[in-house]
Amino acid sequence: MTPTLTRRASAEFTGTALLVAAVVGSGIAAARLSPTDIGLQLLENAIATALALGALILMFGPVSGAHFNPVVSAVDWWVGRHAGTGLTARDLAAYVPAQVTGAIAGAVLADLMFGLPAVTWSRTDRTGPNLWLAEIVATAGLVVLVFALARTGRTTAAPAAVGAYIGAAYWFTSSTSFANPAVTIGRTFTDTFAGIAPTSVPGFVAAQLAGGLVAIAALAAWYPHAGNAADAVVVPHPTRESETR
């Protein structure tokens, strides 16, 4: 990797790690602070996640775009490939492993911060057509949102808008809106409030990828020139041209 791509991949690793640490850590704290109230636990988890996501986009967006999500990165590559914008295939090959390993590191970090074993496989089964449908909806909505913001020049609103969407989707989707294959994989490494059993991962990831395809179709209908703004997803970040300067 070039120095610039290495820097961007490290930002994706760290940002995704901190995002998963926020998801898992706030789930552990919520379960301890409100042990008899599941609704309150979910509210605490959702608020902490939404606020952390917004802050992490502000922190890492100017470096890598703050994707933190293989579906966002894959769609960024796909819609930008003809316009010469967005991620290259080489970028994508660096971003996705960084996001997945970052997510795993974030779950381990959260467990250690709360005095738990570094790795305990989750036993929380999350499976069924209703949950898969929810993941399609959550992922498609997230991807369309970030591309709509980029295409219409409103990326300054991304931290608040993306955080708000994820916080709300905790509640309007039956799956509590994982909407991210890397985060899904990372959450298998913790048997806590936010965990998901490894056996449930294939269904969730397949649904998330399907959500990405739905988003591509929606963008073609609603924002046919979204690829022109792929360098600004989630927020403006180094372009192919700027790497060589």
Side-chain angles (χ1 to χ4, degrees):
M1 291 190 291
T2 65
T4 299
L5 181 53
T6 300
R7 183 167 62 248
R8 287 191 283 143
S10 70
E12 287 296 301
F13 172 90
T14 307
T16 309
L18 292 175
L19 173 60
V20 174
V23 173
V24 173
S26 63
I28 297 170
R32 292 181 179 180
L33 293 170
S34 310
T36 62
D37 193 330
I38 299 296
L40 184 55
Q41 291 174 16
L42 185 62
L43 179 61
E44 293 162 347
N45 189 210
I47 291 173
T49 299
L51 293 176
L53 180 55
L56 291 170
I57 291 172
L58 287 171
M59 187 184 303
F60 294 106
V63 181
S64 67
H67 292 186
F68 310 149
N69 188 328
V71 175
V72 171
S73 296
V75 174
D76 188 57
W77 163 73
W78 180 261
V79 303
R81 70 196 193 286
H82 292 310
T85 59
L87 299 182
T88 65
R90 185 164 176 262
D91 295 335
L92 183 63
Y95 269 45
V96 172
Q99 292 157 351
V100 172
T101 55
I104 295 170
V108 171
L109 175 62
D111 283 343
L112 292 175
M113 287 194 296
F114 282 88
L116 299 174
V119 174
T120 306
W121 297 113
S122 176
R123 294 170 291 177
T124 303
D125 291 318
R126 301 177 190 263
T127 188
N130 62 313
L131 299 183
W132 301 331
L133 176 60
E135 283 300 293
I136 293 173
V137 171
T139 307
L142 173 63
V143 173
V144 171
L145 170 63
V146 297
F147 277 89
L149 291 171
R151 183 67 185 89
T152 57
R154 295 177 294 160
T155 53
T156 54
V162 175
Y165 177 84
I166 292 298
Y170 258 81
W171 292 89
F172 74 74
T173 64
S174 58
S175 63
T176 66
S177 183
F178 285 47
N180 185 328
V183 169
T184 302
I185 293 169
R187 288 166 69 166
T188 66
F189 286 75
T190 179
D191 192 23
T192 58
F193 181 82
I196 177 173
T199 54
S200 299
V201 168
F204 263 55
V205 171
Q208 291 155 0
L209 295 176
L213 295 176
V214 171
I216 289 173
L219 290 169
W222 299 333
Y223 296 95
H225 301 294
N228 294 336
D231 283 333
V233 174
V234 173
V235 298
H237 55 287
T239 63
R240 304 174 195 220
E241 291 77 14
S242 65
E243 280 199 29
T244 63
R245 293 175 186 168

